[in-house]
């Protein structure tokens, strides 16, 4: 089958492309390279550079290629930035998805797997979080992803399209080959920031708050390996190909680790003391985010293979050690 991966030069997108190609699928990538990297584009994928807000560009990809299903990663994803520049997020995430859907409907393309987020829930009602729990995002990023999910829902009803929305918890780790990995600028995520210390790029890691109601006072998150996320996208495409109905799934390991536990594991993996400095809380951080992924396991048959935190951090370390500046030479 031919799969169009929008945002296939980004972190989770590029890992999904690698898994699709390993599985023998034909892959087309479209990416505007605003946050993605040309070096992350798999050499066996056909690449189109352009923006999903550009209707003529999206039409051109669908006119040139015979696409069976779309996987949509093309969005901005920084929580902090989304709070200072909300309209950028509405424009790229919501408006971009609107243009994409208009083009899909016009071309009769009716299957899409969508990259959503735990940020759609906001402050959780209970742990672990289930897909039926209330969605009340506490930041613009999560709000735009929820708007995108709703746009899929109503477009599906009107035009017979089907979608799978995958709500990720904390994506981390890197491809086993060491060829692709996480490279954000600016970097805001915990594991890559911790690894900047043993990479001699930062003197210490800041811990944002140690007065939460958790076992050591630091925030708890559910860290999920990017390759396991990638596999879930392939299962979701197969699920739609088999004629199943639209659906929403959480993707996480169902196990939470505190910030201190993540730092301690990174010390063990790297053999570096990694000094940590306690700082104030970061605005909008819930104390705990842990997924129930029972639904994805039961319905999609998803079974994360790299759930061990040490293994996850070791794979990230392999990438960051060899590429201290990401894809930049
Ligand atoms: N965090 C931290 N120091 C940092 C970056 C993050 O203590 O330099 C904490 C953050 O407050 C959160 C957890 O690490 O509790 C994971 O943050 P990240 O930004 O990686 O992911 P998020 O949970 O925001 O999606």
């Amino acid at each position: 089958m031919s799969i169009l991966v929008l945002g296939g030069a980004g972190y989770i997108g590029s890992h999904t492309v690698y898994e699709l190609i390993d599985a023998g699928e034909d892959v087309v990538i479209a990416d505007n390279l605003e946050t993605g990297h040309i070096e992350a584009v798999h050499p066996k994928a056909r690449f189109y550079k352009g923006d999903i807000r550009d209707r003529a560009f999206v039409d051109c990809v669908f006119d040139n290629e015979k696409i069976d299903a779309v996987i949509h990663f093309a969005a901005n994803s920084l929580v902090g930035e989304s709070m200072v520049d909300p309209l950028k997020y509405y424009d790229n995430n919501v408006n971009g998805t609107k243009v994409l859907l208009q083009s899909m409907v016009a071309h009769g393309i009716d299957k899409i797997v969508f990259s959503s987020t735990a940020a759609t829930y906001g402050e959780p009602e209970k742990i672990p979080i289930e897909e039926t729990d209330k969605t009340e995002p506490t930041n613009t990023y999560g709000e735009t992803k929820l708007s995108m999910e709703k746009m899929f829902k109503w477009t599906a009803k009107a035009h017979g399209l089907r979608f799978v929305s995958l709500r990720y918890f904390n994506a981390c780790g890197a491809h086993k080959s060491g060829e692709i990995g996480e490279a954000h600028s600016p970097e805001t995520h915990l594991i890559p920031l911790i690894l900047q210390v043993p990479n001699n790029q930062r003197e210490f890691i800041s811990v944002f708050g140690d007065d939460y109601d958790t076992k050591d006072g630091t925030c708890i998150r559910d860290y999920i390996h990017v390759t396991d996320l990638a596999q879930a996208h392939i299962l979701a495409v197969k699920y739609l190909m088999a004629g199943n109905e639209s659906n929403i799934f959480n993707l996480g390991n169902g196990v939470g680790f505190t910030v201190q536990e993540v730092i301690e594991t990174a010390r063990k993996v790297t053999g570096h003391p990694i000094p940590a400095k306690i700082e104030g809380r970061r605005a909008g951080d819930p104390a705990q985010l842990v997924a129930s992924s029972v639904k994805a396991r039961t319905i999609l048959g998803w079974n994360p293979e790299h759930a061990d935190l040490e293994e996850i951090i070791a794979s990230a370390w392999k990438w960051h050690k060899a590429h201290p500046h990401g894809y930049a030479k």
Side-chain angles (χ1 to χ4, degrees), residues 51-69:
D51 195 299
I52 57 164
R53 287 165 291 189
D54 177 353
R55 174 72 191 265
F57 168 72
V58 183
D59 282 346
C60 160
V61 176
F62 287 131
D63 288 340
N64 279 345
E65 304 283 348
K66 205 190 146 312
I67 299 298
D68 296 300

Side-chain angles (χ1 to χ4, degrees), residues 10 31 44 54 68-69 117 142 171 181 186 199 225 235 241 248 254 284 301 307:
D31 198 301
K44 287 193 180 150
D54 177 353
D68 296 300
T117 168
N199 244 351
H225 197 287
L235 292 169
M241 289 289 187
I248 298 178

Side-chain angles (χ1 to χ4, degrees), residues 294-315:
V294 171
K295 192 176 167 188
R297 288 169 192 265
T298 313
I299 297 179
L300 294 179
W302 184 57
N303 185 24
E305 286 177 6
H306 310 284
D308 179 63
L309 187 62
E310 226 178 286
E311 182 190 344
I312 290 176
I313 295 180
S315 79

Side-chain angles (χ1 to χ4, degrees), residues 170 172-173 190-191 194 221-225 253 255-266 269 306-317:
N170 289 60
C172 48
L190 180 64
I191 292 176
I194 292 174
R221 293 290 180 273
D222 184 336
Y223 294 90
I224 177 81
H225 197 287
N253 280 310
V255 180
F257 292 96
T258 67
V259 171
Q260 292 287 21
E261 286 171 334
V262 176
I263 297 170
E264 199 45 54
T265 308
V269 167
H306 310 284
D308 179 63
L309 187 62
E310 226 178 286
E311 182 190 344
I312 290 176
I313 295 180
S315 79
W317 180 226

Side-chain angles (χ1 to χ4, degrees), residues 6-139:
L6 302 167
Y11 174 42
I12 306 171
S14 60
H15 285 78
T16 301
V17 170
Y18 269 61
E19 296 304 309
L20 282 166
I21 286 178
D22 265 5
E25 307 298 352
D26 181 55
V27 180
V28 178
I29 296 176
D31 198 301
N32 66 4
L33 299 180
E34 186 190 298
T35 53
H37 306 274
I38 190 71
E39 299 85 348
V41 169
H42 195 291
K44 287 193 180 150
R46 292 188 295 292
F47 177 64
Y48 291 79
K49 183 176 183 294
D51 195 299
I52 57 164
R53 287 165 291 189
D54 177 353
R55 174 72 191 265
F57 168 72
V58 183
D59 282 346
C60 160
V61 176
F62 287 131
D63 288 340
N64 279 345
E65 304 283 348
K66 205 190 146 312
I67 299 298
D68 296 300
V70 176
I71 307 182
H72 178 23
F73 297 98
N76 290 111
S77 62
L78 299 177
V79 170
E81 183 189 56
S82 80
M83 297 303 279
V84 286
D85 196 356
L87 298 179
K88 173 176 176 176
Y89 280 67
Y90 275 90
D91 181 41
N92 193 24
N93 297 4
V94 179
N95 176 42
T97 299
K98 181 206 76 180
V99 175
L100 165 68
L101 284 172
Q102 286 171 329
S103 182
M104 284 179 65
V105 169
H107 287 83
I109 293 162
D110 62 357
K111 290 179 271 308
I112 181 161
V113 174
F114 164 64
S115 144
S116 188
T117 168
T120 53
Y121 294 108
E123 193 67 48
E125 292 178 287
K126 59 165 178 49
I127 295 294
I129 301 171
E130 290 172 288
E131 291 83 351
T132 45
D133 288 359
K134 83 167 190 300
T135 46
E136 241 172 60
T138 51
N139 54 62

